[in-house]
Amino acid sequence: MINWDPALYLRFESDRNKPITDLLHHIELASPKRAIDIGCGPGNSTGFVARRWPEAEVIGLDSSKAMLETARKAYPHLQWVEYDATQGLAPLGPFDLVFSNAALQWMPDQTRVVPDFFGLLSPGGVLAVQIPHNVDSPLHQAMQTLAKSQKWRGRLPKGNPIQYHPVGFYYDILAALTGAFEIWTTRYHHVLNAHEEIVEWYKGTGFRPYLDQLDTPGQAEFLADMLAEVRPLYPAQSDGRILFTFERLFFVGTKIDEKEPLHD
């Protein structure tokens, strides 16, 4: 299991929150009674859901004790559940909104998991998901190159532990579930002060599977090597800051209420 650091994750909270609010703007639900945030992390995404629909019962679910401890302290009025979302959530349903922000990429067998999420919905309910879609980014290419290098080969996990799929993969899953869905990508350009901040950003997320395999000196060595790889890939702007480009994939699907009458 990955060792998550809530404080490190929240260091770039304002940047991480932008996709959450963008996803919420695409959800057309007037007054959902029950909502669940799957892979809620430290609760920042759950907080946005609760503020959008203050009358709803909102549950945050995550498998990390550390993340949930932070979430409970920040939002004591919400419900928090420690559970592995890949093990089936049917006993918790049904929900009018199933929300998941930057969590699905950590789950294997998404051809089963996404329909499981959709199956939690009440008729007319909405599944709303955001996941990173930057496997082709310079940072990820550098990470994979470094992991396969002679120096690091054998010390790090083989392959990419994060489950990335193309847009068409999710289209096919959603098309088999509902005729009412949309799918899109958005490219964000985060303004960071230095290359070190790119490494710090991923130290809290994408680097975790690698760092968890290393002792403290090994972690420092890996991060130093990553910084050396990153510097030439992200040139500084005229004011010395760095544009960290990050693409994300979104999809929103509605469970059609078959009881509703058809209209011409």
Side-chain angles (χ1 to χ4, degrees), residues 230-250:
V230 162
R231 286 189 186 280
L233 299 176
Y234 295 87
Q237 300 302 123
S238 58
D239 62 358
R241 294 181 178 180
I242 311 299
L243 284 177
F244 180 38
T245 302
F246 200 124
E247 184 170 286
R248 296 181 181 271
L249 184 149
F250 301 77

Side-chain angles (χ1 to χ4, degrees), residues 4-241:
W4 294 106
D5 184 337
L8 182 59
Y9 181 87
L10 290 172
R11 177 176 173 183
F12 301 96
E13 184 175 8
S14 61
D15 290 289
R16 296 191 191 281
N17 284 345
K18 179 59 176 170
I20 298 171
T21 58
D22 287 349
L23 180 57
L24 284 170
H25 289 156
H26 281 76
I27 300 173
E28 298 180 359
L29 283 174
S31 54
K33 293 181 174 62
R34 299 189 78 222
I36 186 168
D37 180 11
I38 299 177
C40 63
N44 52 315
S45 55
T46 323
F48 275 98
V49 172
R51 286 190 290 272
R52 169 76 180 272
W53 296 284
E55 301 302 319
E57 174 191 1
V58 179
I59 297 173
L61 182 144
D62 205 279
S63 60
S64 168
K65 287 182 180 293
M67 287 292 201
L68 289 174
E69 286 176 3
T70 298
R72 289 189 181 100
K73 291 177 182 177
Y75 308 95
H77 60 293
L78 300 180
Q79 298 181 51
W80 305 101
V81 175
E82 182 182 345
Y83 191 75
D84 181 352
T86 65
Q87 299 305 306
L89 299 170
L92 294 175
F95 294 93
D96 302 301
L97 172 63
V98 174
F99 190 90
S100 185
N101 176 72
L104 185 62
Q105 74 274 12
W106 297 106
M107 303 179 191
D109 195 10
Q110 292 178 24
T111 54
R112 176 185 59 82
V113 172
V114 174
D116 282 353
F117 287 5
F118 195 82
L120 293 173
L121 295 174
S122 303
V126 171
L127 170 64
V129 175
Q130 181 273 122
I131 47 180
H133 194 245
N134 62 334
V135 68
D136 294 325
S137 70
L139 175 62
H140 262 272
Q141 294 300 310
M143 183 170 61
Q144 292 300 304
T145 298
L146 191 64
K148 295 175 183 177
S149 67
Q150 183 175 358
K151 176 179 179 180
W152 289 102
R153 190 184 308 123
R155 299 172 65 185
L156 300 174
K158 294 182 179 179
N160 192 343
I162 306 176
Q163 303 294 309
Y164 287 103
H165 299 286
V167 175
F169 172 85
Y170 296 103
Y171 176 93
D172 288 342
I173 294 175
L174 292 167
L177 295 171
T178 177
F181 70 92
E182 60 176 324
I183 185 168
W184 73 97
T185 61
T186 298
R187 183 170 293 179
Y188 296 88
H189 301 282
H190 302 290
V191 180
L192 304 181
N193 292 315
H195 292 97
E196 286 80 358
E197 290 191 351
I198 297 178
V199 174
E200 281 294 298
W201 181 302
Y202 252 66
K203 181 180 174 182
T205 53
F207 292 161
R208 295 313 313 167
Y210 299 108
L211 296 175
D212 287 351
Q213 301 297 315
L214 302 170
D215 57 17
T216 300
Q219 291 179 2
E221 185 181 5
F222 175 80
L223 294 173
D225 285 357
M226 277 304 312
L227 179 59
E229 293 284 337
V230 162
R231 286 189 186 280
L233 299 176
Y234 295 87
Q237 300 302 123
S238 58
D239 62 358
R241 294 181 178 180

